[in-house]
């Protein structure tokens, strides 16, 4: 599903953020990406999203070689990936329904498809009764559920989450984790960068640890492994 071959990322100022990374993530995997600040987690995620390019090596996602992808084909790649941020990044002047619908409009889904699909997804994240509210009227957990709905509404092959529980209290964080696990159980591959030790230790999923731009651990049922 996701493969990195000898991937190195050196920023323009000379900082080596990732060095010769090789990793394979299979369809349906659930992967926690952990490591101290500066380890290269954000760089890893930005490479998957093709926000930045590797200095060396090759990245494939769902059999698409993203490295030499023509501009024309980038939307097709982005459609395969749903993304969830720590700070939700919802459109404040749009309702819950419109925020989710917007993700479908971008890929030019028909109004009919949108009318059918958005309520289905809002029901899945238990927000049917908040469809007409605006983000500022919602709790943090609810806002994150909207952003997850938006991320999965186009049925992506991969869900990438960067600290999705970072702004939430522990109880709400667990609700969000259950939702992400539920999405994973339906077959979506999940890659989640996190500092949430309790969550990683409890969930017993694959853990890839980065330190200084290198993979130092890759355990099938791993633990967080840091004291921060
Ligand atoms: P993490 O997400 O694990 O904290 P990052 O991927 O953000 O790690 O950073 C990895 C390394 O790359 C760090 O040394 C960081 O300072 C450096 N870095 C990140 N972004 C840039 C950039 N745009 N330009 C130069 N160096 C960067
Ligand atoms: P599953 O759906 O696989 O039965 P859950 O998604 O409910 O499990 O939870 C995944 C893991 O998180 C389990 O190990 C569960 O014990 C743990 N967990 C769920 N909710 C909480 C919570 N509120 N506090 C601590 N651990 C929790």
């Amino acid at each position: 599903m996701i493969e990195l071959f000898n991937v190195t990322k050196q920023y323009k100022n000379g900082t080596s953020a990732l060095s010769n990374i090789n990793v394979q993530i299979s369809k349906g995997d659930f992967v926690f990406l952990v490591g101290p600040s500066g380890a290269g987690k954000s760089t890893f995620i930005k490479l998957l999203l093709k926000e930045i390019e590797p200095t060396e090596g090759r990245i494939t996602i769902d059999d698409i070689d993203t490295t030499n992808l023509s501009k024309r084909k980038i939307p097709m790649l982005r459609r395969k990936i749903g993304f969830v941020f720590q700070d939700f990044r919802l459109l404040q002047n749009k309702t819950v329904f419109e925020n989710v619908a917007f993700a479908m409009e971008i890929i030019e889904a028909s109004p009919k498809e949108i009318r059918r699909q958005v309520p289905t997804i809002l029901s899945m994240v238990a927000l049917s009764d908040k469809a007409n509210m605006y983000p500022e009227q919602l709790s943090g957990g609810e806002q994150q559920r909207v952003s997850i709905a938006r991320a999965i509404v186009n049925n992506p092959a991969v869900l990438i989450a960067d600290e999705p529980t970072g702004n939430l209290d522990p109880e709400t964080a667990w609700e969000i984790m259950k939702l992400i696990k539920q999405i994973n159980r339906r077959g979506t591959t999940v890659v989640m960068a996190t500092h949430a030790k309790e969550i990683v230790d409890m969930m017993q999923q694959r853990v890839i640890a980065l330190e200084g731009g290198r993979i130092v651990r890759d355990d099938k049922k791993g633990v967080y492994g840091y004291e921060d």
Side-chain angles (χ1 to χ4, degrees):
M1 168 59 59
I2 301 175
E3 287 185 282
L4 279 74
F5 303 96
N6 301 320
V7 169
T8 290
K9 176 63 187 180
Q10 191 164 12
Y11 286 105
K12 285 207 182 72
N13 66 0
T15 305
S16 200
L18 291 176
S19 305
N20 202 28
I21 298 289
N22 284 287
V23 65
Q24 291 191 4
I25 296 172
S26 305
K27 181 165 169 45
D29 272 5
F30 190 119
V31 178
F32 285 119
L33 194 58
V34 306
S37 182
K41 303 182 294 296
S42 300
T43 300
F44 189 100
I45 281 177
K46 284 179 185 159
L47 286 167
L48 296 184
L49 298 173
K50 207 171 160 66
E51 280 180 23
I52 58 175
E53 299 297 325
T55 317
E56 282 174 55
R58 204 149 54 81
I59 300 170
T60 65
I61 294 180
D62 207 9
D63 291 328
I64 300 177
D65 187 335
T66 72
T67 325
N68 295 309
L69 206 59
S70 67
K71 263 217 163 69
R72 203 163 47 82
K73 288 188 173 158
I74 291 176
M76 179 186 69
L77 172 70
R78 294 256 161 87
R79 215 167 297 172
K80 291 181 180 289
I81 303 173
F83 193 51
V84 175
F85 305 89
Q86 175 172 0
D87 57 2
F88 322 139
R89 301 202 196 172
L90 299 172
L91 300 165
Q92 297 299 318
N93 59 347
K94 287 188 188 287
T95 65
V96 167
F97 187 100
E98 290 164 351
N99 264 280
V100 179
F102 188 64
M104 294 188 75
E105 286 159 14
I106 286 174
I107 66 155
E108 295 177 354
S110 71
K112 191 177 159 193
E113 282 175 283
I114 293 174
R115 279 196 303 274
R116 197 195 43 187
Q117 176 72 349
V118 175
T120 305
I121 293 292
L122 288 181
S123 152
M124 189 183 156
V125 301
L127 282 176
S128 301
D129 55 336
K130 309 261 159 120
N132 297 316
M133 293 198 160
Y134 288 87
E136 63 173 18
Q137 299 174 291
L138 304 178
S139 70
E142 288 167 341
Q143 291 188 56
Q144 195 56 300
R145 269 149 51 205
V146 178
S147 99
I148 290 172
R150 177 181 60 184
I152 64 168
V153 72
N154 295 324
N155 202 19
V158 187
L159 180 66
I160 294 175
D162 195 0
E163 295 272 5
T165 64
N167 285 352
L168 306 174
D169 63 72
E171 201 61 36
T172 311
W174 275 111
E175 277 173 32
I176 293 299
M177 284 319 299
K178 284 184 186 175
L179 182 56
I180 293 175
K181 187 66 188 108
Q182 185 189 341
I183 292 162
N184 172 246
R185 270 197 294 268
R186 298 190 325 165
T188 308
T189 306
V190 173
V191 179
M192 170 173 159
T194 189
H195 284 284
K197 180 179 193 302
E198 289 74 20
I199 286 173
V200 175
D201 289 349
M202 288 287 259
M203 297 272 297
Q204 302 194 13
Q205 302 291 332
R206 182 171 172 190
V207 175
I208 297 176
L210 287 169
E211 284 177 32
R214 293 176 194 276
I215 294 178
V216 294
R217 267 191 289 143
D218 185 348
D219 296 329
K220 216 171 168 154
K221 288 190 174 184
V223 296
Y224 184 69
Y226 301 97
E227 287 307 320
D228 64 2

